[in-house]
Amino acid sequence: MTAPTQARQIHVRVAHRDPYVAAGIASLLRSRADFVVQSGLPDAAADGDDEAVDVLVTDYATGVHRATNVPSGRGRSTPKSFLVVTDQSTGWQIRRAMDAGVRGYLLHDCSVEELSDAVRSVAEGRRYLSCPVADQLLENISAAVPTARELDVLHRMAEGLPNKDIGRRLGIGEGTVKTHVKAILRKLGQPTRTAAIGEAFRRGLLPETSP
Amino acid sequence: MIDALDLYVRVCHGDSLVMAGLVALIGQEPGFHVQPGNAPDQGVADVVVADHASALGLLASAAAMDQRGAARGFRVPRVVVLTRRDNEGEVMQAIASGVHGYLRQDANPDELMNAIRHVARGGSLYLCKRTKTLLGHGRPRTGFTAREEDVLRFLVKGDCNKGIARKLNISANTVKAHVSRICEKLHVGSRAQVAIKATQRGLVRV
């Protein structure tokens, strides 16, 4: 239906939980000639002759969920390339999204140019990370990773439990807990347990719970 | 008196995506005239929609201008905050600085438009549902004394009582007493929990 233009048009669908971010992305992309923009999630319309979508621009949760559960087959109307725009900026969150198959990752404060570059890259099958995202990811890769057991201990530490109680909960001796705590402090580069908990939250090792 | 049909809204938001979204959404509303702009004294607007930081900056510079040029009929802008983060500390800070509305970004656009109208009409402070619940939990406001705040700041950084005592030039026992009061006020049993709760509720600036 669309008239052929000099450059190939990219079909973008914008479905973001934040209505303001969604409206902003849609309006910025519409101002560029090479994007055809649709809003809302595809299954809301559920019509088969939905135009082919090259890129789905979405929020973190939707992006990770959809990238993990890409339905097989079902024509070209189901987007298979995901660009996430989010404020989830810790290294672990970025890694989780990449592992799930998200191909583009931007933060909310990205510029208009970054946004359109990212959409183009992802549409062409390449990956796109904005600079702060790439920074976080590299830092995460080079950081010492706590073992699964150390993470167990870290979670209990964040509940405010003393070593003795952590040992009892995990069925290990207090001395063992102490060793784990020492390793955690070393890996997080912090001198005390309170400081280590703060750093763990910043790095995204502990889930943000609502108070 | 503001004509219900014509309302001038200025938008300043640090995120260019949200900025574009606000311009698009507010522009669609009949009778709303929208103008993007981050400079503090750009034109006359009935209402300014801003993110937390811009709102505080705007009100601070407006307050300074008000003191200097009150004679020229300078009007302090009516500001509605639209923000993604809303911890208790930030909301209280914004209200104390004189914002007229505080909404989380998960409030739907219709609610924002109503808030803008309400604030333009000169209505009282507008809070979105989430923010109201946040402030009105039924729990008394956590009021710390200035000294408790000092202690809390160092505690969150991970200092031990002795270290805090040295920095504040008081005895370790006094610090201990402050820490127990802080634990009581936050209803928690350990300093690690104090640090987590205080950070998440935005009660300390780290």
Side-chain angles (χ1 to χ4, degrees):
Chain A
M1 214 180 85
T2 39
T5 41
Q6 57 277 55
R8 195 182 78 88
Q9 287 196 310
I10 297 171
H11 291 259
V12 187
R13 193 178 269 287
V14 181
H16 201 288
R17 281 189 185 175
D18 184 320
Y20 307 94
V21 174
I25 294 172
S27 114
L28 290 173
L29 291 180
R30 277 195 185 108
S31 67
R32 305 280 161 122
D34 52 343
F35 297 121
V36 181
V37 184
Q38 308 165 57
S39 293
L41 274 179
D43 29 5
D47 47 333
D49 45 37
D50 191 11
E51 273 193 275
V53 174
D54 300 308
V55 182
L56 177 70
V57 185
T58 187
D59 53 275
Y60 185 88
T62 313
V64 169
H65 176 76
R66 296 223 148 214
T68 327
N69 310 292
V70 178
S72 51
R74 247 280 285 143
R76 302 204 304 138
S77 68
T78 328
K80 291 183 180 68
S81 296
F82 303 91
L83 170 62
V84 162
V85 182
T86 180
D87 55 1
Q88 313 271 297
S89 59
T90 69
W92 286 109
Q93 288 163 326
I94 299 166
R95 268 182 96 155
R96 219 165 290 143
M98 291 289 141
D99 286 345
V102 168
R103 305 195 68 88
Y105 205 108
L106 293 174
L107 300 183
H108 279 144
D109 57 0
C110 70
S111 68
V112 185
E113 284 69 36
E114 278 180 307
L115 176 66
S116 31
D117 283 352
V119 173
R120 270 185 216 111
S121 303
V122 172
E124 286 163 14
R126 284 180 284 133
R127 289 181 201 276
Y128 189 100
L129 305 179
S130 65
C131 287
V133 172
D135 263 358
Q136 281 293 323
L137 192 60
L138 289 177
E139 204 167 293
N140 176 282
I141 289 171
S142 56
V145 185
T147 63
R149 202 50 167 170
E150 282 160 9
L151 282 177
D152 287 341
V153 173
L154 185 60
H155 276 99
R156 302 304 182 289
M157 277 166 69
E159 286 168 26
L161 296 181
N163 287 351
K164 201 188 260 177
D165 294 359
I166 297 177
R168 214 170 292 147
R169 288 269 186 99
L170 298 177
I172 53 181
E174 196 184 341
T176 314
V177 176
K178 235 177 193 167
T179 313
H180 285 314
V181 172
K182 259 187 212 150
I184 292 168
L185 298 191
R186 182 173 48 76
K187 286 181 179 176
L188 295 179
Q190 300 297 325
T192 65
R193 57 199 286 143
T194 308
I197 293 167
E199 179 63 17
F201 274 112
R202 266 186 295 281
R203 289 200 195 173
L205 287 169
L206 291 169
E208 296 270 349
T209 49
S210 43
Chain B
M1 216 17 224
I2 295 149
D3 194 323
L5 282 176
D6 274 311
L7 230 154
Y8 292 85
V9 183
R10 189 149 66 80
V11 178
C12 36
H13 203 289
D15 298 351
S16 46
L17 299 185
V18 177
M19 183 88 148
L22 283 170
V23 170
L25 291 168
I26 296 173
Q28 282 169 10
E29 197 72 5
F32 279 34
H33 303 276
V34 66
Q35 163 202 28
N38 281 319
D41 50 357
Q42 248 177 14
V44 197
D46 298 311
V47 178
V48 180
V49 179
D51 62 297
H52 183 85
S54 311
L56 294 194
L58 211 79
L59 286 165
S61 62
M65 277 206 324
D66 201 22
Q67 273 183 343
R68 271 189 279 120
R72 298 202 323 270
F74 173 78
R75 210 153 47 98
V76 176
R78 306 183 72 81
V79 179
V80 173
V81 174
L82 183 74
T83 181
R84 199 168 293 121
R85 308 177 312 161
D86 69 336
N87 58 48
E88 201 178 322
E90 283 187 338
V91 179
M92 295 314 297
Q93 190 193 9
I95 293 173
S97 323
V99 303
H100 290 83
Y102 203 99
L103 285 89
R104 266 178 57 108
Q105 250 163 265
D106 54 8
N108 76 45
D110 288 342
E111 188 175 1
L112 175 67
M113 303 309 154
N114 287 336
I116 293 175
R117 277 193 204 94
H118 172 89
V119 167
R121 250 185 265 125
S124 53
L125 179 69
Y126 187 99
L127 301 176
C128 72
K129 236 179 267 153
R130 280 275 319 238
T131 307
K132 261 189 218 153
T133 349
L134 183 78
L135 294 185
H137 265 321
R139 68 176 172 216
R141 271 252 300 123
T142 319
F144 291 118
T145 65
R147 211 46 168 170
E148 280 163 4
E149 274 177 18
D150 291 339
V151 172
L152 188 57
R153 221 176 18 253
F154 288 115
L155 188 156
V156 166
K157 274 195 223 141
D159 284 349
C160 63
N161 285 353
K162 238 189 231 163
I164 299 174
R166 222 172 295 129
K167 282 178 183 151
L168 293 178
N169 208 10
I170 51 181
S171 85
N173 275 326
T174 313
V175 175
K176 223 175 188 173
H178 284 309
V179 173
S180 330
R181 279 295 289 155
I182 294 171
C183 284
E184 260 171 53
K185 286 184 178 178
L186 289 175
H187 310 290
V188 296
S190 79
R191 55 198 297 134
Q193 282 174 310
V194 167
I196 293 164
K197 225 172 183 180
T199 314
Q200 286 184 344
R201 280 169 61 181
L203 303 175
V204 273
R205 313 245 154 273
V206 211

